[in-house]
Amino acid sequence: ELGWDVYGIDPSPIAVRVAQSRGLRRVSQGYIETADIPESFFDAVTMFHVFEHIPNPNPVLKKIQKILKPGGRLIIGVPHFRSIGSFLYGRYWAGLSFPLHYFHYDRASLISLLGRHGFAVEKIAYANIASDIFVSSLEAIRAISVHYKSEPCIKKISILGNHICGAVDYLIGNCLAQWFRCGSQITVVSKNKK
């Protein structure tokens, strides 16, 4: 529709079927580091809430650097480890998501890792997904505190918090997230230097 020739790779057969059912024809099951893709093939590679699930990012970045055209863009969006939510909820922060998230990233770690693999960071953006992070963090607290009488209270706070945080997100959350670099998600746009 928008002029992009879209390809996708996912290890989940369910995700592949869903993508194909939505009209994405070139989606295959597998892993990017072992996929048969010609060098300098793509203009851009995007990884939104994927990168933190990769147990070893080095071979993945090496492969992406090869399959991107010179000057091609790599766009990565991950939970932001230095976010206000991470600070407030500590070990209960939903962005930790043990054991599904192998690594936790912030501005410095992403710049360093991408730089070591031949990428120059062009832009970093922060988004505040407070309603998701707030509610899921409270749900985690509620799930481990089933023995406490305060559980119904936490559930009510969770429902109320969802509405309040949604409004805060919309009105000021994303502005503050950008200004103070404290959003729950960090997105990095980098350029292939080869």
Side-chain angles (χ1 to χ4, degrees), residues 3-193:
W4 291 92
D5 196 7
V6 179
Y7 291 75
I9 299 173
D10 198 286
S12 165
I14 295 169
V16 170
R17 281 196 302 274
V18 168
Q20 290 171 341
S21 74
R22 294 183 179 176
L24 299 172
R25 296 180 309 276
R26 295 185 190 109
V27 179
S28 59
Q29 184 181 353
Y31 297 89
I32 195 165
E33 58 269 37
T34 57
D36 186 23
I37 303 169
E39 288 192 22
S40 300
F41 186 73
F42 291 114
D43 294 305
V45 171
T46 61
M47 302 179 87
F48 291 102
H49 292 274
V50 171
F51 203 64
E52 67 272 21
H53 297 274
I54 298 171
N56 186 356
N58 294 310
V60 171
L61 289 172
K62 184 177 179 181
K63 177 71 173 226
I64 291 171
Q65 208 261 343
K66 285 182 180 179
I67 64 175
L68 273 176
K69 293 177 181 176
R73 302 304 193 272
L74 169 60
I75 304 163
I76 296 175
V78 294
H80 182 213
F81 189 64
R82 300 276 180 234
S83 69
I84 191 70
S86 175
F87 173 75
L88 289 174
Y89 292 108
R91 66 185 180 141
Y92 301 111
W93 180 54
L96 292 177
S97 195
F98 293 119
L100 300 174
H101 293 177
Y102 290 97
F103 294 98
H104 303 98
Y105 297 99
D106 63 9
R107 178 185 182 91
S109 64
L110 286 167
I111 291 171
S112 174
L113 183 61
L114 290 167
R116 287 195 309 270
H117 288 278
F119 293 95
V121 172
E122 294 183 318
K123 182 179 180 181
I124 299 178
Y126 302 86
N128 195 17
I129 317 169
S131 56
D132 295 336
I133 298 297
F134 180 81
V135 171
S136 56
S137 295
L138 278 176
E139 288 298 320
I141 293 169
R142 187 170 68 88
I144 64 166
S145 64
V146 294
H147 301 293
Y148 296 105
K149 294 178 183 175
S150 64
E151 184 181 348
C153 178
I154 291 175
K155 188 173 183 178
K156 288 176 187 173
I157 291 171
S158 177
I159 292 167
L160 178 62
N162 189 23
H163 297 297
I164 292 170
C165 287
V168 170
D169 263 358
Y170 182 76
L171 296 174
I172 59 172
N174 284 318
C175 292
L176 293 176
Q178 277 301 116
W179 292 337
F180 295 106
R181 298 179 178 172
C182 65
S184 59
Q185 175 178 297
I186 182 170
T187 302
V188 177
V189 178
S190 59
K191 181 178 181 179
N192 188 359
K193 293 191 292 187

